[in-house]
Amino acid sequence: MFEYEMHQMRAAELARQADHQRLVGEARKHRAAARRSARDEAEGPVSTPFRKIRFMRAA
C-alpha cells in the first residue's frame, strides 16, 4: 500500500511539473509574439545614433 501511495504522489508531482512547464512555454511564446508585434509597429528611432553617422563634419 505504501508503494502505491508513493507512486500516486510521484505521478501527481510529475503532472504539476508538466503543467508548470507548459505554462512557462506559453508565456514565452506570448512574450515573443508581443515583442514581434511591438517591433513591427515601432516608428523607428527618433534621433540618429552616433555609430550610424557616416561622414564627419568638415572643419
Side-chain angles (χ1 to χ4, degrees):
M1 188 57 128
F2 178 73
E3 290 178 9
Y4 177 74
E5 290 174 0
M6 291 295 292
H7 173 72
Q8 291 295 96
M9 288 184 353
R10 179 67 179 148
E13 178 64 26
L14 289 174
R16 282 191 293 273
Q17 286 179 359
D19 286 341
H20 177 71
Q21 289 178 355
R22 181 182 50 82
L23 288 173
V24 168
E26 288 179 4
R28 285 181 180 164
K29 286 179 186 177
H30 289 293
R31 282 191 306 229
R35 282 194 303 267
R36 278 193 302 271
S37 67
R39 183 175 58 220
D40 293 341
E41 295 173 0
E43 296 179 9
V46 176
S47 62
T48 305
F50 291 110
R51 67 179 183 268
K52 289 191 177 186
I53 296 175
R54 295 186 181 189
F55 302 104
M56 299 301 287
R57 290 178 51 188

